[in-house]
Amino acid sequence: MTSAEPLPKYRFVVTLDPGDAYLPPAQAVLLPLVAAGAFQEITGLGAQLEVTSYAEGGRNDTTHQLPVRHKWNPITLKRGVVRDPGLWSWYQAGLADSLGARRDGAVILLGPDGSPGAAWAFHGGLASKWSGPDLHAEQNAVAIESLEIAHEGLTKVLGS
């Protein structure tokens, strides 16, 4: 595969690191490890620059666009409900101690041969929103839960 070929969007892996980078060592050993998960869908890999318009006096042909601040989109992970309480435990930990609930992680997009093609690492992630499944007795579908991660930045670590 050449680098000019686009990667398929259906093969990806998510990794979630333990929160020990954000705690003293004595407290870090008490935290459960939140491992990689098999997810059905990931959304929110992105960011935007907030701008403000400034109309300069005497210039009627343009309005200046000035940068204000940069904002990272929350990353949303969706997967079938499983009996492992890992994602729920992470969310619940953030309700009591946001410092201990921070995790770094990565989203890795795989090529057709299964090798990593592109990857984005997020930093200082907090499980900010958990949503349980919509239940319908008339539908034969997998129950889906979602977890939204607010984070402090993305870094593209693999790919062009």
Side-chain angles (χ1 to χ4, degrees), residues 20 22 34 50 59 101 111 122 126 134 137-138 140 147 152 159:
D20 56 4
Y22 297 92
V34 179
E50 183 182 336
R59 289 201 62 187
F122 63 87
L126 285 170
D134 295 329
E138 298 173 349
N140 183 13
L147 183 76
E152 297 176 350

Side-chain angles (χ1 to χ4, degrees), residues 74-154:
I75 298 170
T76 302
L77 309 176
K78 294 184 179 182
R79 73 173 185 182
V81 174
V82 295
R83 292 186 175 100
D84 173 19
L87 295 181
W88 172 255
S89 297
W90 182 25
Y91 174 74
Q92 206 168 26
L95 298 176
D97 179 18
S98 63
L99 186 63
R102 289 192 181 272
R103 301 282 191 269
D104 294 338
V107 176
I108 304 164
L109 186 59
L110 304 174
D113 61 352
S115 65
W120 299 267
F122 63 87
H123 313 284
L126 285 170
S128 61
K129 180 181 179 183
W130 177 86
S131 298
D134 295 329
L135 305 174
H136 301 280
E138 298 173 349
Q139 294 180 358
N140 183 13
V142 173
I144 302 295
E145 69 177 333
S146 67
L147 183 76
E148 190 171 285
I149 302 170
H151 58 92
E152 297 176 350
L154 280 174

Side-chain angles (χ1 to χ4, degrees), residues 62-83:
T62 189
T63 302
H64 296 288
Q65 302 297 317
L66 304 175
V68 177
R69 71 184 51 88
H70 191 258
K71 180 180 176 187
W72 297 100
N73 296 346
I75 298 170
T76 302
L77 309 176
K78 294 184 179 182
R79 73 173 185 182
V81 174
V82 295
R83 292 186 175 100

